[in-house]
Amino acid sequence: MIKRLLGQLTVVTVGALCLVGLGGVSTLLAARHGAVSAVPAADSAALAAANAALADTRHELERAHQILEFSGRYAIPADLSAEIYDHAVAEGIHASVGFQLVKIESDFRNGAESDAVAIGLTQLRLPTARAFEPMVAPSDLMNPDLNLRLGFRYLHALLNRFDQNLPLALEAYNKGPTLVAAQQDLGNDVRGKYSHAVLSGLHQGT
């Protein structure tokens, strides 16, 4: 997987350089004729397509860079790093939060199970998972793709419930949203060891 990512990184880098060259030529042509508006419609369409392709290339470069960086930081396989990264981004969770949550919950062990019957990489309990996928079975939560998708979707829902307050959402992920809301209503400081562990890990880059 690492070799494939490095290969992709090389390809998109070459593509980016080619597209940058194309964009530079187009810009010079536009300047020579006085303004971008003077470029023929066909050339403008080609330039727009080139710019879109360049944006896609930059996105893929950044994705490959992030996946490899997280793979090295946490000493995990690149394919697992790619799964965590892609699912976190798809569910609106900052990738660094997603990686740190998986580290704390399961230490990146797909087969992890807790005494509270929490399962898999994000340590989901079946009732929580079924709130998002009603027909899911316990064995399904051993599927990394499904587990990551539902775990990060749950965290995203908690962020919405607690007004994008990440420490509160993390505590709710660990303790349950009902308990956290009750503690909040009583005026208690809800932030505890769990959110501190996630956030301090992010700050230290571990």
Side-chain angles (χ1 to χ4, degrees):
M1 179 65 182
I2 292 178
K3 289 182 178 179
R4 187 172 69 190
L5 281 170
L6 289 174
Q8 291 174 347
L9 191 61
T10 300
V11 170
V12 294
T13 301
V14 172
L17 291 173
C18 292
L19 288 171
V20 168
L22 178 60
V25 170
S26 299
T27 301
L28 288 173
L29 287 172
R32 182 176 179 180
H33 288 284
V36 174
S37 60
V39 178
D43 290 345
S44 296
L47 179 58
N51 285 335
L54 179 57
D56 288 341
T57 300
R58 287 171 175 163
H59 173 77
E60 287 302 317
L61 276 169
E62 178 61 19
R63 174 182 175 272
H65 171 74
Q66 290 290 327
I67 288 170
L68 290 173
E69 181 179 333
F70 282 116
S71 176
R73 181 186 304 179
Y74 288 102
I76 59 175
D79 55 350
L80 176 58
S81 179
E83 287 181 311
I84 296 171
Y85 180 88
D86 288 340
H87 281 295
V89 171
E91 298 300 333
I93 301 299
H94 196 285
S96 59
V97 174
F99 277 88
Q100 190 65 10
L101 182 144
V102 174
K103 176 188 176 183
I104 290 172
E105 289 290 342
S106 65
D107 198 26
F108 301 102
R109 293 181 295 113
N110 184 56
E113 289 190 63
S114 74
D115 294 337
V117 200
I119 302 171
L121 291 169
T122 62
Q123 289 292 278
L124 275 178
R125 296 179 68 248
L126 190 59
T128 302
R130 284 181 172 168
F132 300 97
E133 294 277 352
M135 302 304 293
V136 71
S139 59
D140 295 332
L141 295 179
M142 292 295 186
N143 180 314
D145 283 322
L146 179 66
N147 190 287
L148 290 166
R149 175 164 55 85
L150 296 185
F152 293 150
R153 187 167 297 177
Y154 179 44
L155 180 58
H156 181 85
L158 293 172
L159 281 166
N160 288 338
R161 176 169 178 173
F162 291 97
D163 299 321
Q164 304 304 311
N165 187 312
L166 181 57
L168 285 182
L170 288 169
E171 291 296 335
Y173 191 97
N174 179 243
K175 302 173 184 176
T178 301
L179 177 58
V180 168
Q183 291 176 334
Q184 193 178 25
D185 289 342
L186 292 172
N188 297 335
D189 186 0
V190 180
R191 292 171 297 179
K193 293 181 180 180
Y194 185 83
S195 59
H196 177 75
V198 174
L199 298 176
S200 64
L202 297 181
H203 297 158
Q204 295 169 10
T206 57

